[in-house]
Amino acid sequence: MTNGRTTVLGAVRRSLGRSDADSDAAMAAAKARIAAHPRGLLPERSRCDPIAQLDLFQAQVEAVDATVVRLSALAEVPQAVADYLKSHNLPGDLRMAPAAELQALPWTTAAPMLTVTTGKAEPQDVSSLTAAFAGIAETGTLMLHSGPEGPTTLNFLPENHIVVLKSSQVVGAYEEAWERLREARADEGLPRTVNLVTGPSRTGDIEQTIQLGAHGPKRLHILLIEDAG
Amino acid sequence: MQATSRSFKDNAHQALNDEQLRRALDNMKEGFIAKRAKAAAKLPEFDALRDQARDIKDHTLENLDAYLELYAEKVESVGGTVHWCPTADDARKAVVDICQAVGAKTVTKGKSMIAEELALNEHLEANGLIPIETDLGEYIIQLRNEPPSHIIAPAIHLNKEQVASDFRAAHVDLPADRQLEEPQQLVGEARAVLRQKYLDADVGITGANFLIAETGTSIIVTNEGNGDLTQSLPKVHIVVASIEKIVPSLEDASAILRVLARSATGQEFSTYTTFSTGPKRSDDPDGPEQYHVILLDNGRSRMLGSEFQDMLRCIRCGACMNHCPVYHSVGGHAYGWVYPGPMGAVLTPSLIGVDEAGHLPNASTFCGRCEAVCPMRIPLPKMMRHWREQEFQKHLSPTAVRLGLGAWTFVARRPSLYHFTTGLKARVLSMIAGKRGRLAKVPLASGWTSHRDLPAPEGRTFMDLWAKQRRTAQRPGQETV
Ligand code: SF4
């Protein structure tokens, strides 16, 4: 493919009227911008105190047909999951992300009616539980990423997706979530997949009527743990 | 492809006299326009964000050679492969080679305008592979053997009864007496049918809304989640993307994403924005083992440094066609290639040549709405005028030029429709004039007064030329001349 590369880059440079010195200058400019990765304008609505930010997050999530319940501790998650599945007449089978924090929860004592298995999604799975990396208030968006603790298929294959998010993970704008991810990953670069998820799956392809549950989850339910005091 | 065998008369009849299409296009007008206006009004910074988005893309295009190199280096450093493809043929060959190397049989596809540009489905089929579109709109038009009629809503020209009858014809294993009256039933059926296809596919192909040089990442933006199943279940993920999709950093991508969904569907953010970087890592429980990027030029590099460079800022939101009176009259198929509406009128001649598509820039009332709503502030009417000048200078088919070919002529030759669109023009004008009732600033006012005369009934008919255009459109292998 060296040939294709030379051809494409040559054509681009010719059209831009580049000399060799110009190409070097362009490379320097590009590298400088990437190194600085400056933030642009952040919407005013995302610049608020943490309490207002949580409220904005919740309001935005609800505006896109997802649901939120607030819990005061992680330990309440098993019961909240059981309640949710029951309220929608769903079976008590749950496919859970193999995340240490979720696995450490008191499933057998707090929610004995649930059958919890971990791993990536299987075609027959009806409900999944995953842990978010961040919540972004400006549009009610979740950031989830792949890794040993986060199979991507859990976010898309089951019809019901339940997500655990801590209030300390909620930020105002997308850029703040990226900054946290960069810090968390240090030199590792991005994971294979980062999903920004805003509400359950939908389509407007038939007469522009919005239908939920096109291919991904029909329901998105967020358990928001208020851990920030 | 079946669409070519349909006579123009049938297509034109559908486009112009079909009540169903009229309803669909009216529905679209109200839907998309009102939703975009609402989303824009809800974000006070919207116009400032448009300026910023334009500036990011301008900077990237000015330094595109550097960003492409840095991007490709990054992709390879995380175990992905970049296939640099100067032409559509190179891209088609690269895709088939990857599929054949893994012994693929079925290929699922997320929505990709580049794949449409490549006529990739036909090419895959010709090589013994079975492509399956997974975006609901694309799936429907694949069943019908039709090209998309809109870049973000490919099946916008159809109603639910048509979709129901297509599903009955295609899904013969399902009970004949099942209910398919409601959109929810149709969506449910497509969901169930496609579920198994995702699981069976050997290769998943998606497009990319952006490529990030900083991280070597490709981004897809969807509402259905089909692209995500397409790219996470099969062993191989192929991204088909053109060179102008590059942005420098995650911050730059985020900044432009803020104007994309708002301009396209009027959502504040699309449901799924997915960032993919390389294949699955050794300790990932799922994800593809191979990650390939088909990096396509196919005429874009020629636009750099020309009066059409600004067009390369386009993020394919569809706002220009959603607000275009000509598109509202004739729909997307009339434009004859994959990109309809104002953006198509500029891009199509750039990519397949003014000889083939020189009439498209005339399919305009020069009302300026497209430029007014374009999130990337692309001066579409100005560029349409550039094309018209170039076409004129080349003395292409003088009769054709005199006729003022294309959809506009066709409209103009049909009195009821002409009145319909001129009525729209009047409404657009009064909208621009606002409360003062004066037209102090009609964008490109000369475009109004100097637009071509009504056609004389002589020379080649529009139908001949349109039919020729359709035939060419079905052979996009020729676009690399
Ligand atoms: S030209 Fe502008 S409005 Fe039209 S699709 Fe491209 S970005 Fe959107």
Side-chain angles (χ1 to χ4, degrees):
Chain A
M1 277 295 149
T2 320
N3 200 16
R5 181 178 185 277
T6 314
T7 308
V8 172
L9 285 174
V12 168
R13 291 199 174 111
R14 252 191 322 281
S15 286
L16 291 172
R18 288 257 192 277
S19 65
D20 287 352
D22 293 339
S23 297
D24 294 346
M27 185 53 86
K31 282 185 173 163
R33 184 170 181 106
I34 287 174
H37 51 83
R39 282 183 192 178
L41 178 66
L42 303 188
E44 191 55 39
R45 71 159 77 140
S46 67
R47 316 288 83 215
C48 54
D49 68 66
I51 291 172
Q53 216 164 52
L54 276 195
D55 291 343
L56 174 63
F57 176 78
Q58 179 161 354
Q60 292 289 61
V61 164
E62 288 168 352
V64 292
D65 310 291
T67 49
V68 181
V69 294
R70 297 197 190 197
L71 306 175
S72 51
L74 255 182
E76 294 172 20
V77 165
Q79 182 64 52
V81 170
D83 291 348
Y84 180 76
L85 297 182
K86 188 154 170 261
S87 72
H88 289 281
N89 281 322
L90 292 165
D93 301 313
L94 183 72
R95 181 76 67 178
M96 186 169 76
E101 204 169 44
L102 298 180
Q103 284 175 307
L105 295 172
W107 291 101
T108 42
T109 51
M113 61 298 265
L114 297 183
T115 309
V116 182
T117 47
T118 55
K120 67 184 168 98
E122 299 300 336
Q124 71 281 1
D125 290 344
V126 175
S127 304
S128 64
L129 179 73
T130 68
F133 176 79
I136 301 156
E138 65 170 302
T139 47
T141 298
L142 293 166
M143 179 184 275
L144 304 129
H145 70 74
S146 61
E149 298 202 340
T152 300
T153 46
L154 290 179
N155 304 338
F156 294 96
L157 214 40
E159 281 190 11
N160 306 282
H161 184 199
I162 308 171
V163 181
V164 173
L165 174 74
K166 289 175 250 169
S167 58
S168 56
Q169 294 175 311
V170 175
V171 296
Y174 312 121
E175 287 82 345
E176 293 164 291
W178 289 122
E179 205 47 54
R180 288 195 182 191
L181 188 61
R182 278 201 189 94
E183 279 163 22
R185 306 274 307 171
D187 296 331
E188 286 176 278
L190 288 187
R192 146 71 194 171
T193 308
V194 178
N195 296 120
L196 298 186
V197 176
T198 312
S201 160
R202 68 200 57 215
T203 181
D205 275 346
I206 297 181
E207 296 191 354
Q208 287 200 286
T209 59
I210 299 301
Q211 305 296 328
L212 298 183
H215 294 282
K218 291 181 178 167
R219 296 192 189 92
L220 175 68
H221 184 59
I222 298 170
L223 306 175
L224 182 58
I225 320 295
E226 302 196 73
D227 64 345
Chain B
M1 215 161 94
Q2 193 134 20
T4 48
S5 62
R6 298 168 129 197
S7 73
F8 170 71
K9 266 191 173 169
D10 287 346
N11 279 317
H13 188 75
Q14 257 188 348
L16 295 160
N17 298 315
D18 185 342
E19 271 312 302
Q20 186 285 119
L21 181 65
R22 189 94 291 121
R23 268 205 314 280
L25 293 170
D26 281 351
N27 181 14
M28 177 190 108
K29 256 187 299 178
E30 281 157 31
F32 280 138
I33 292 178
K35 284 180 197 156
R36 177 205 169 269
K38 207 169 142 198
K42 262 171 88 176
L43 191 67
E45 299 89 350
F46 188 65
D47 282 333
L49 288 165
R50 292 168 64 193
D51 292 338
Q52 179 180 282
R54 172 199 59 206
D55 295 346
I56 291 169
K57 270 289 193 184
D58 279 346
H59 163 83
T60 314
L61 292 169
E62 287 303 329
N63 299 286
L64 189 61
D65 48 343
Y67 281 116
L68 284 169
E69 281 197 86
L70 292 169
Y71 164 75
E73 261 171 41
K74 260 294 174 201
V75 174
E76 313 231 312
S77 78
V78 292
T81 309
V82 177
H83 304 259
W84 298 76
C85 298
T87 68
D89 276 339
D90 297 326
R92 287 187 281 257
K93 183 171 181 316
V95 172
V96 168
D97 286 351
I98 296 164
C99 293
Q100 287 176 344
V102 294
K105 289 189 182 63
T106 65
V107 177
T108 42
K109 284 178 68 213
K111 198 174 108 47
S112 156
M113 291 311 296
I114 300 295
E116 295 288 345
E117 188 178 321
L118 299 174
L120 195 54
N121 285 355
E122 287 84 337
H123 196 71
L124 290 171
E125 281 167 1
N127 284 276
L129 294 149
I130 304 169
I132 297 150
E133 295 289 350
T134 61
D135 171 84
L136 180 57
E138 289 282 343
Y139 177 68
I140 293 166
I141 61 168
Q142 188 186 22
L143 292 180
R144 299 173 64 89
N145 266 318
E146 281 181 5
S149 65
H150 189 287
I151 60 171
I152 66 160
I156 194 144
H157 56 291
L158 300 171
N159 66 24
K160 60 182 196 293
E161 288 75 24
Q162 290 169 300
V163 177
S165 89
D166 294 334
F167 279 15
R168 287 190 194 283
H171 307 153
V172 286
D173 295 347
L174 298 175
D177 60 352
R178 69 195 186 279
Q179 299 273 302
L180 280 182
E181 280 81 50
E182 294 308 316
Q184 189 61 55
Q185 293 161 339
L186 295 164
V187 172
E189 181 160 316
R191 179 187 172 101
V193 168
L194 284 167
R195 200 43 55 138
Q196 196 55 45
K197 310 280 187 196
Y198 291 119
L199 297 163
D200 295 342
D202 307 294
V203 174
I205 300 179
T206 68
N209 293 76
F210 303 96
L211 304 172
I212 304 181
E214 176 195 359
T215 50
T217 299
S218 56
I219 299 182
I220 58 168
V221 179
T222 76
N223 279 316
E224 299 186 0
N226 64 305
D228 290 281
L229 291 170
T230 297
Q231 66 164 57
S232 41
L233 292 169
K235 289 190 298 280
V236 179
H237 176 196
I238 303 177
V239 178
V240 290
S242 48
I243 54 174
E244 84 284 11
K245 303 283 181 195
I246 300 257
V247 293
S249 66
L250 289 163
E251 280 76 4
D252 292 323
S254 305
I256 303 178
L257 282 165
R258 280 203 183 87
V259 296
L260 173 57
R262 289 180 171 96
S263 302
T265 54
Q267 289 168 285
E268 296 222 286
F269 214 52
S270 299
T271 306
Y272 301 115
T273 304
T274 297
F275 297 68
S276 304
T277 311
K280 74 183 278 244
R281 308 299 140 80
S282 57
D283 54 357
D284 281 352
D286 54 16
E289 286 151 26
Q290 292 181 28
Y291 176 77
H292 297 269
V293 181
I294 307 297
L295 195 54
L296 177 72
D297 180 344
N298 204 30
R300 273 115 181 135
S301 59
R302 273 203 309 269
M303 296 166 70
L304 282 171
S306 79
E307 60 269 62
F308 301 108
Q309 173 166 323
D310 290 347
M311 192 62 220
L312 295 173
R313 292 201 299 264
C314 175
I315 54 173
R316 307 288 189 266
C317 72
C320 53
M321 61 199 75
N322 293 344
H323 291 75
C324 176
V326 176
Y327 182 96
H328 289 158
S329 303
V330 299
H333 286 161
Y335 291 80
W337 203 51
V338 292
Y339 300 109
M343 58 80 75
V346 175
L347 196 58
T348 304
S350 305
L351 298 183
I352 67 174
V354 69
D355 296 8
E356 296 299 341
H359 60 284
L360 288 184
N362 290 307
S364 164
T365 65
F366 290 95
C367 69
R369 292 294 291 157
C370 50
E371 181 173 1
V373 296
C374 173
M376 305 308 286
R377 299 208 186 278
I378 298 171
L380 293 154
K382 188 176 98 190
M383 287 191 289
M384 284 185 242
R385 290 168 65 80
H386 279 315
W387 273 129
R388 292 174 59 197
E389 282 158 23
Q390 287 201 12
E391 184 198 17
F392 189 75
Q393 278 160 16
K394 284 178 87 174
H395 295 297
L396 278 173
S397 172
T399 316
V401 172
R402 200 162 66 248
L403 276 169
L405 290 173
W408 175 249
T409 304
F410 192 82
V411 171
R413 291 170 73 183
R414 270 138 192 89
S416 63
L417 201 80
Y418 181 74
H419 288 129
F420 173 78
T421 47
T422 47
L424 263 177
K425 265 164 79 171
R427 261 178 281 157
V428 170
L429 272 177
S430 65
M431 206 152 73
I432 296 166
K435 288 207 180 72
R436 290 179 302 138
R438 288 180 50 219
L439 289 164
K441 272 202 312 182
V442 180
L444 297 159
S446 61
W448 287 93
T449 49
S450 66
H451 76 69
R452 52 250 148 249
D453 293 330
L454 285 182
E458 61 184 86
R460 296 175 69 187
T461 66
F462 171 63
M463 292 183 184
D464 292 338
L465 287 150
W466 196 89
K468 174 172 178 282
Q469 158 72 12
R470 292 292 298 177
R471 284 195 300 274
T472 317
Q474 304 312 327
R475 288 184 282 114
Q478 308 220 325
E479 72 224 26
T480 52
V481 287

